[in-house]
Amino acid sequence: MFFDLRPRAVRPRAVRPRAVLASAGTLGLALAAAVSPAGAADGTPTTPTQLFNGYRHCSTDADRPSYRQAGEGLVVEGVPGGTGSTGSPLVGVRYQAWPVGDPTRITTVTRDHATPGFEAPATLPASALADGQTYAWQARTEAGEAVSDWSAPCYVTIDNTRPANAPVVTSPNYAPGVWNEGGEPVEFTLDAGGVDDVEGFEFSWQPDLPVIGTSIGDHGIPRPVDPYADTRYFKRAGALGGSATLSLVPPSGSGPMTLYVRSLDRAYNGSAIARYDFNVGSTAPSVTPAVPEPGFGEPTGFTLRPDPGLQAKSPVVSYSVRTTGGQEDKTLEVAAGADGTAVVELALDGIYHQSVQVTSKSANGWVSDEAQWYISYDTTPTVASDTYPENGSGGGAGVPGTFTFAPKVKDVVSYTYTFNDGEPPVTVPADADHTARVDWAPATDGWYDLTVHATTRSGIQLAPYDYFFTVN
């Protein structure tokens, strides 16, 4: 089964081209022979197997028919058996269907030139299938005048009518229209709203609900799966036309929330979508560094504390810590102590700024909304010159001047500079006091831009600084 999140109606996957070309050439003949049921010794083809209607298993129990939507007709299919002859392996498949209440009204469709061992689909026309009527259908293999026995009848009830009412959605612990304290899963009750053929419900925190589909396996054989096995999106009602309960953790910790729900009948026709809107207050943890303004690149402990109300409902067991804006964005998972607190050591190295985002996770699965802590850094070097003052004028063409570079952060080992973006840039080592001095004489007068950045011992290239001046 696959789930297509595109907003389109629930319907079976379109028939894809079958591998009829397998009958052409030696390889095709070998493959067909390998997967085809054995034919009778007298050359009589064998009865089709692997019977499906609307890409779901056929039901041979007249009291428990399959329910299918057939507004555009109903695809019936089976794998035909071969004749066992060495001639052309192609056969035909004949399908006949009739209302259970009137076996004389037979509708027949055929699939010619089918390959034994591969599904051979045909479509019963919508005009022959009345909404709410139960039909029986069967299939047989045909090879010229030779025909197989008919398969046992399959029973299917046509249901082209979606549930008339949207479901009714309520919650005993998260009321609509008010701000609820978060920290525990939301309990929902989904009710069929008086529609007696509702089998279950489909739900999501997104408005585009998944589309139920069936994948196609080897030899064209469908692989239907019960959608209610996927508890992320589906819940079967306790009884036909009944209700179901859910216990869900919202996708984010706080703010406006909406759960979207629709009812499904036995043919997977979906009702109109109901929505349950509610609000959840913040449960974000607190984030406190050991010092108010941690130095650039200096390891600093951050204490993480849970929201008190959240901790009271279900103890916080871990934190997800994400840093952004540094040399490398990181996400760390940190275990919490018995009191819900934790300490994580971080060395912040964002050359302009860096933020720390933290969410907590409780023992009951609740994930809080995000706490954010932010710091900005000025990692540009300072630049000074007596001869050529910043934003001023001095010196002259050929007049040497000294420029002094000094750091604003620790552990600077070199400086790289260029005048008016000249090529190539020049790198000079820093002295023991982490400063550097550069002597330079301009070739001409005019306006100049000296661009300088520092580099740390760990190889971090810090923010550049532009020093503007005019040569007399």
Side-chain angles (χ1 to χ4, degrees):
M1 181 173 65
F2 64 88
F3 296 109
D4 181 349
L5 298 181
R6 293 173 296 176
R8 56 188 177 91
V10 176
R11 57 185 298 176
R13 175 174 173 155
V15 179
R16 69 178 190 179
R18 294 313 198 263
V20 296
L21 293 180
S23 62
T26 304
L27 178 60
L29 291 171
L31 176 59
V35 299
S36 174
D42 60 359
T44 301
T46 54
T47 304
T49 58
Q50 299 283 357
L51 302 179
F52 295 86
N53 38 219
Y55 305 101
R56 290 173 65 183
H57 293 289
C58 97
S59 171
T60 56
D61 185 345
D63 295 327
R64 301 181 66 183
S66 173
Y67 283 77
R68 299 307 295 143
Q69 199 273 352
E72 298 179 4
L74 179 67
V75 175
V76 290
E77 57 187 311
V79 174
T83 62
S85 68
T86 58
S88 171
L90 293 180
V91 295
V93 183
R94 181 176 297 270
Y95 301 93
Q96 62 179 20
W98 60 92
V100 169
D102 187 1
T104 64
R105 291 173 47 204
I106 296 176
T107 298
T108 299
V109 294
T110 60
R111 175 62 180 260
D112 300 324
H113 310 299
T115 301
F118 289 83
E119 288 284 354
T123 301
L124 295 171
S127 60
L129 304 171
D131 189 19
Q133 179 72 58
T134 299
Y135 292 83
W137 66 272
Q138 55 188 176
R140 76 179 183 188
T141 306
E142 300 181 345
E145 297 298 322
V147 297
S148 73
D149 292 334
W150 285 102
S151 67
C154 297
Y155 296 92
V156 59
T157 298
I158 304 304
D159 184 355
N160 296 332
T161 304
R162 68 190 300 198
N165 302 326
V168 177
V169 185
T170 57
S171 173
N173 62 338
Y174 283 79
V178 298
W179 284 93
N180 299 273
E181 183 179 27
E184 60 185 3
V186 189
E187 306 298 329
F188 291 104
T189 298
L190 316 179
D191 186 86
V195 182
D196 59 10
D197 70 338
V198 166
E199 183 181 42
F201 304 92
E202 184 179 13
F203 58 89
S204 175
W205 297 105
Q206 301 297 323
D208 298 333
L209 298 179
V211 171
I212 300 172
T214 300
S215 64
I216 305 299
D218 293 342
H219 312 296
I221 299 173
R223 293 174 174 171
V225 175
D226 180 4
Y228 297 106
D230 188 347
T231 57
R232 298 172 302 167
Y233 300 108
F234 298 92
K235 183 67 178 288
R236 196 184 302 273
L240 197 62
S243 62
T245 59
L246 300 175
S247 181
L248 301 177
V249 174
S252 57
S254 69
M257 306 286 178
T258 300
L259 184 73
Y260 300 88
V261 185
R262 67 179 167 196
S263 300
L264 297 175
D265 62 22
R266 286 167 289 185
Y268 301 155
N269 294 306
S271 71
I273 294 177
R275 54 184 291 166
Y276 187 84
D277 300 292
F278 62 102
N279 301 306
V280 180
S282 176
T283 57
S286 65
V287 182
T288 308
V291 294
E293 295 187 3
F296 176 86
E298 297 180 9
T300 303
F302 285 77
T303 300
L304 315 177
R305 292 186 176 87
D307 174 83
L310 180 68
Q311 178 72 6
K313 290 186 175 182
S314 180
V316 166
V317 295
S318 65
Y319 295 90
S320 180
V321 181
R322 182 166 60 100
T323 62
T324 58
Q327 299 302 300
E328 180 182 355
D329 292 347
K330 299 178 181 179
T331 300
L332 306 172
E333 300 300 324
V334 182
D339 62 352
T341 65
V343 176
V344 60
E345 187 174 86
L346 302 173
L348 305 179
D349 54 9
I351 64 173
Y352 298 105
H353 52 76
Q354 195 157 3
S355 62
V356 180
Q357 297 97 38
V358 182
T359 59
S360 66
K361 185 175 183 179
S362 301
N364 64 5
W366 182 274
V367 177
S368 77
D369 49 319
E370 191 174 76
Q372 295 199 25
W373 183 91
Y374 177 91
I375 192 169
S376 60
Y377 288 113
D378 179 5
T379 63
T380 62
T382 61
V383 183
S385 174
D386 292 336
T387 306
Y388 296 103
E390 185 175 17
N391 297 320
S393 61
V399 177
T402 298
F403 294 84
T404 301
F405 308 146
K408 294 176 184 172
V409 300
K410 294 181 178 180
D411 211 25
V412 166
V413 296
S414 68
Y415 297 89
T416 301
Y417 68 92
T418 181
F419 288 91
N420 289 348
D421 293 325
E423 293 294 341
V426 177
T427 298
V428 294
D431 295 333
D433 61 356
H434 304 290
T435 65
R437 291 166 182 78
V438 172
D439 294 324
W440 174 82
T444 61
D445 59 6
W447 177 87
Y448 280 83
D449 173 17
L450 168 60
T451 302
V452 187
H453 73 260
T455 301
T456 67
R457 189 177 306 278
S458 61
I460 298 175
Q461 179 178 307
L462 303 177
Y465 186 77
D466 289 287
Y467 182 92
F468 299 102
F469 62 96
T470 301
V471 174
N472 291 331

